[in-house]
């Protein structure tokens, strides 16, 4: 484990930034989780125009668009993750600097992603339901953002790395 963050990301906007550590971040699992939820969001973007207002697909697309605008610079850890993978590493300590508003957004996003997982399981999407480890990773990742912004110390990832 490193003593200094592998990367620090900055947020746009006027909100004060707070450091959140993602200890023992599982690199390959992080990629798998990102790829899964990106596939779901692409499918939702296609479905949003044909679903009634307020449906999960539309709400998810709106939330994703808002997140992209508000936190556009907070994905620098993905570049560091990819570079570490290229070096053959499996885990990495990552520090991200995020505004406190990420706390509530993380909780909302986690609940909405639970709904999207249900859409996948129910066969309402072409994208398959995420694997259990992908869901566990997502909950850890979003949970760490919210918990540390509430003042809790970092909890390292304790699951697998694939």
């Amino acid at each position: 484990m490193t003593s200094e963050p592998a990367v620090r990301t900055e947020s746009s906007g006027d909100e004060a930034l707070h450091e959140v550590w993602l200890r023992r971040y599982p690199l390959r699992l992080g990629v798998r989780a990102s790829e899964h939820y990106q596939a779901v969001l692409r499918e939702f973007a296609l479905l949003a125009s044909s679903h009634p207002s307020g449906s999960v697909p539309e709400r998810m697309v709106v939330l994703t668009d808002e997140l992209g605008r508000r936190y556009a610079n907070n994905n620098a850890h993905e570049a560091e993750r990819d570079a570490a993978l290229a070096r053959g590493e499996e885990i990495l300590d990552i520090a991200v600097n995020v505004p406190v508003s990420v706390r509530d957004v993380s909780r909302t996003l986690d609940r909405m992603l639970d709904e999207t997982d249900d859409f996948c399981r129910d066969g309402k999407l072409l994208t398959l339901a995420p694997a259990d480890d992908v869901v566990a990773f997502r909950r850890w990742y979003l949970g760490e953002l919210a918990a540390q912004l509430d003042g809790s110390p970092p909890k390292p990832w304790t699951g697998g790395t694939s």
Side-chain angles (χ1 to χ4, degrees), residues 18-99:
H18 302 272
E19 185 175 72
V20 171
W21 279 89
L22 301 170
R23 300 275 189 195
R24 298 189 53 79
Y25 182 102
L27 300 170
R28 286 182 290 164
L29 181 55
V31 169
R32 283 183 41 232
S34 292
E35 289 173 347
H36 171 77
Y37 288 110
Q38 287 172 5
V40 169
L41 293 175
R42 280 191 302 272
E43 192 168 350
F44 274 174
L46 293 171
L47 293 172
S49 62
S50 65
H51 278 70
S53 180
S55 68
V56 172
E58 181 184 5
R59 287 184 293 145
M60 183 60 77
V61 170
V62 169
L63 179 62
T64 303
D65 287 345
E66 179 184 339
L67 291 174
R69 282 191 306 277
R70 287 179 70 184
Y71 309 113
N73 297 326
N74 275 346
N75 60 357
H77 73 280
E78 292 178 3
E80 179 65 18
R81 177 194 66 196
D82 295 343
L85 274 169
R87 292 189 303 267
E89 296 179 42
E90 291 193 18
I91 60 170
L92 186 67
D93 286 347
I94 298 174
V96 294
N97 292 317
V98 295

Side-chain angles (χ1 to χ4, degrees), residues 9-12 15-19 74 97-100:
T9 61
E10 298 297 324
S11 173
S12 58
E15 291 182 84
L17 300 179
H18 302 272
E19 185 175 72
N74 275 346
N97 292 317
V98 295
V100 75

Side-chain angles (χ1 to χ4, degrees), residues 1 22-24 140 144 154-159:
M1 209 174 323
L22 301 170
R23 300 275 189 195
R24 298 189 53 79
W140 169 79
E144 279 302 291
K155 288 184 186 174
W157 172 254
T158 58

